[in-house]
Amino acid sequence: MNTDARQQEQSVGVAPGWWTEAVIYQIYPRSFADSDGDGIGDLPGITARLGHLAELGVDAVWLSPFYPSPQADAGYDVADYRDVDPLFGSLADADRLIAEARAKGLKVIVDLVPNHTSSAHRWFRAAVAAAPGSPERARYIFRDGLGPDGAEPPNDWQSVFGGPAWTRLVEPDGRPGQWYLHLFDTAQPDLNWDNPEIRAEFLDVLRFWLDRGVDGFRVDVAHGLIKQADLANWEEPQEILSGNEADKPRPPMWDQDGVHEVYREWRRVLDSYDGDRILVAEAWVEPAERIARYVRPDEMHQAFNFEYLLAAWTAPAQYAVITRSLEATDAVGAPTTWVLSNHDVIRHASRLGLSAKGGRPNGIGIGDPQPDAALGLRRGRAATLLMLALPGSAYLYQGEELGLPEHTTLPDESRQDPTWERSGHTQRGRDGCRVPIPWEADAPSYGFGPADASWLPQPPLWAEYALDRQRGVPGSTYETYRTALRLRREHALGRGTLEWLSSGDEVLSFRNGGLTVLTNFGTAAVPPPDGDLLHSSAPLDADGRVPTDVTVWVRHS
Ligand code: GLC
């Protein structure tokens, strides 16, 4: 074991609130629980299953969008920001969910999608019907095309989902007309955040949900709202996971300084409400210092730490990203956040079982190299125990507490992610992490709902991951998560201080309060730290040593 002499003290230097140390569980409403048997999850289904989350021991839930939407991008194409899509229920169902969650001691965060609306939003319909130069068009980013007859798009930007980021309208008189910008699907036109009307509208949307009692917002594409004024060309292809590397010029559509003014205004609205209401940035921005700018004291409260999610499973890579993340957020007095899975990436129980090192494949399908399921789960559990021992706030994605893998053999004809079509079937997209989750091994759709089928087909192996097969079973992934969450709370790890003990090539270990945490990334088993073994991601070997790809939590004397 390399007992590296480097030691470091790092802490969460911020006034504690529930969110500074919270474990926040992401619910993807389409795939959590279906109450009415249409094969798509819904709000009453979620409300009925809140007991599971209370038992698991999380502090809050974040709900992906449930607003009226044509579902061109699974609800991230919002047609009305102040209502619930009948697919998911009604506003009354949302109120019941918020009230029930509160009764169970769970906070509720909703998703806000300000970068773009759906093309079915009344504003976009009005813009299409109105003339170029009209106030209706000024809510979006319309431009004349280039070339003698305007047949070329206004610039060369690519959409994140593939293909050009511009689509040409047919004007009301039937002639080809202006182009509109959509950084994502054609059905997701980008709003013009230089227009004060847009700013006022979203302040009102924030108030609408704050008045209904939500505890915060996860802000979709928070780094995209403001575009460089000249819409300068940018030849690089876009990817959903692309970060902006430090040594490259900043793309004209991402992370423009003007976004911060928007969040300062939002923060003032949240601060005018009672309780701690929070803003969480989804911003695929690197390096850590740039993302820290979103969580300065008068802006958002948290930002997802995608650099952490993307880090390779090696001791040096994990040490580096943890250290950098803590330093960057400490510098602005914000808590660090940690996340391993969400609805846009390959589930970490599969990602960590891929042999391609450091890659970030966008979807896995039949015919692609398949992950090693046992290795992925073993590493996935070790990664989770490492993450849950870090100071700050952590995000879990539904199903990871069951050790759920990615569905990597989903038939291509079932794919729903617009990425698949827009990339000309070259990028499989994100459906594999969005498959409805299994609750009961022997029930129709594994207890997801009363129907046999669900909107994405579940793989046959789902039964072994079902909650009822794991609940009360010592050593199951579910019980491993539950114990970790209980100990994390008992030992106040979320508000603790990290002190590195060892950061070599094979082993990472650190202290946080009364706990010593060790993860073995090497090939040989290593002795555990001195003290009482409280928890481990897998059993120790016959000699009481910590095997490869295992994390242990020890109470030191
Ligand atoms: C975010 C969401 C993703 C969505 C995109 C466009 O990245 O997490 O699911 O497709 O924004 O709204």
Side-chain angles (χ1 to χ4, degrees):
M1 171 165 142
N2 179 350
T3 45
D4 193 297
R6 270 175 297 176
Q7 290 204 355
Q8 202 159 355
E9 285 238 348
Q10 292 175 329
S11 66
V12 180
V14 68
W18 68 267
W19 49 277
T20 55
E21 56 182 306
V23 176
I24 301 174
Y25 182 101
Q26 179 186 1
I27 293 179
Y28 195 65
R30 302 175 71 84
S31 302
F32 189 70
D34 173 21
S35 72
D36 60 8
D38 66 355
I40 300 182
D42 47 46
L43 300 188
I46 296 169
T47 305
R49 296 278 191 186
L50 286 174
H52 163 64
L53 301 177
E55 182 186 271
L56 179 61
V58 300
D59 302 294
V61 295
W62 145 38
L63 300 160
S64 281
F66 48 72
Y67 312 109
S69 160
Q71 306 289 326
D73 183 22
Y76 282 95
D77 47 323
V78 178
D80 180 352
Y81 290 85
R82 297 180 184 80
D83 206 348
V84 172
D85 195 294
L87 257 188
F88 299 122
S90 62
L91 263 184
D93 291 327
D95 291 340
R96 259 193 298 277
L97 192 163
I98 295 167
E100 276 290 314
R102 174 161 304 155
K104 293 193 155 52
L106 297 166
K107 310 271 185 196
V108 177
I109 294 171
V110 294
D111 219 304
L112 189 70
V113 187
N115 180 66
H116 43 265
T117 68
S118 161
S119 51
H121 191 283
R122 65 189 160 81
W123 274 359
F124 193 72
R125 291 176 193 267
V128 170
S134 60
E136 287 83 358
R137 292 231 169 148
R139 294 179 181 132
Y140 293 90
I141 303 179
F142 280 92
R143 293 288 185 278
D144 293 332
L146 304 180
D149 51 4
E152 300 294 321
N155 70 21
D156 61 2
W157 292 5
Q158 297 295 300
S159 136
V160 172
F161 293 155
W166 296 89
T167 291
R168 194 172 195 188
L169 279 190
V170 177
E171 297 293 353
D173 64 7
R175 283 185 301 177
Q178 284 195 302
W179 297 72
Y180 68 90
L181 178 70
H182 52 86
L183 291 179
F184 293 88
D185 193 61
T186 46
Q188 293 167 298
D190 279 54
L191 285 163
N192 171 16
W193 274 86
D194 293 326
N195 182 338
E197 191 186 354
I198 306 299
R199 295 187 185 225
E201 168 72 356
F202 275 86
L203 293 179
D204 197 63
V205 170
L206 290 175
R207 290 198 186 93
F208 179 87
W209 289 102
L210 289 167
D211 289 340
R212 298 195 102 82
V214 304
D215 298 287
F217 302 89
R218 176 262 188 193
V219 182
D220 190 67
V221 194
H223 58 317
L225 273 48
I226 303 290
K227 280 76 181 173
Q228 195 172 295
D230 60 359
L231 301 182
N233 276 334
W234 183 261
E235 287 167 4
E236 310 269 324
Q238 295 290 343
E239 280 176 47
I240 183 80
L241 303 188
S242 74
N244 306 331
E245 276 135 41
D247 53 350
K248 289 194 182 160
R250 191 156 341 119
M253 70 293 281
W254 302 131
D255 197 26
Q256 301 297 305
D257 288 345
V259 296
H260 297 287
E261 196 185 309
V262 173
Y263 303 131
R264 286 194 193 103
E265 200 173 9
W266 291 11
R267 177 65 181 258
R268 288 196 288 275
V269 172
L270 266 72
D271 284 350
S272 71
Y273 280 77
D274 58 354
D276 269 346
R277 319 276 185 122
I278 70 164
L279 293 167
V280 184
E282 187 228 19
W284 291 91
V285 170
E286 287 175 2
E289 294 72 33
R290 285 300 294 189
I291 191 74
R293 290 159 54 93
Y294 289 75
V295 291
R296 288 177 288 195
D298 57 348
E299 297 192 37
M300 301 219 193
H301 299 74
Q302 296 186 339
F304 290 109
N305 186 348
F306 294 128
E307 199 180 341
Y308 177 71
L309 184 151
L310 295 170
W313 183 247
T314 67
Q318 295 285 319
Y319 171 78
V321 74
I322 292 168
T323 307
R324 255 203 318 273
S325 305
L326 288 165
E327 277 170 5
T329 45
D330 274 0
V332 292
T336 314
T337 68
W338 312 102
V339 61
L340 290 166
S341 283
N342 66 30
H343 66 294
D344 289 329
V345 301
I346 292 178
R347 284 182 173 277
H348 71 281
S350 295
R351 196 172 69 234
L352 297 176
L354 286 170
S355 47
K357 286 273 176 307
R360 2 168 159 155
N362 192 356
I364 303 172
I366 300 170
D368 291 333
Q370 296 290 306
D372 176 331
L375 177 68
L377 181 57
R378 185 176 179 80
R379 288 185 172 169
R381 289 165 49 143
T384 297
L385 253 60
L386 171 57
M387 173 177 87
L388 289 176
L390 295 170
S393 170
Y395 280 79
L396 304 180
Y397 176 49
Q398 66 178 39
E400 67 167 272
E401 77 279 21
L402 305 174
L404 218 56
E406 186 86 357
H407 189 344
T408 56
T409 54
L410 195 63
D412 285 341
E413 58 277 13
S414 326
R415 294 193 183 280
Q416 311 251 347
D417 183 348
T419 308
W420 174 237
E421 287 303 327
R422 282 197 60 84
S423 69
H425 297 181
T426 57
Q427 301 276 315
R428 284 209 159 79
R430 303 158 291 173
D431 293 312
C433 65
R434 299 176 174 180
V435 175
I437 63 174
W439 297 89
E440 293 148 39
D442 300 320
S445 62
Y446 305 111
F448 167 63
D452 282 325
S454 53
W455 70 280
L456 286 172
Q458 297 162 301
L461 283 182
W462 245 217
E464 73 186 60
Y465 296 97
L467 177 65
D468 69 347
R469 288 269 174 95
Q470 302 197 40
R471 208 161 161 253
V473 177
S476 67
T477 304
Y478 171 72
E479 293 298 341
T480 302
Y481 268 69
R482 201 152 84 94
T483 302
L485 292 170
R486 176 176 56 75
L487 290 171
R488 178 184 155 91
R489 192 184 296 254
E490 280 171 20
H491 292 265
L493 301 179
R495 83 182 90 115
T497 298
L498 185 149
E499 180 195 347
W500 288 110
L501 299 176
S502 162
S503 54
D505 287 340
E506 315 245 299
V507 167
L508 279 191
S509 100
F510 60 85
R511 279 198 180 163
N512 181 355
L515 246 62
T516 303
V517 176
L518 180 149
T519 303
N520 183 5
F521 296 85
T523 48
V526 298
D530 290 338
D532 301 332
L533 181 70
L534 293 185
H535 200 21
S536 71
S537 62
L540 302 193
D541 70 11
D543 302 324
R545 294 156 72 94
V546 182
T548 302
D549 292 326
V550 171
T551 298
V552 291
W553 291 8
V554 169
R555 190 197 345 244
H556 54 79
S557 22

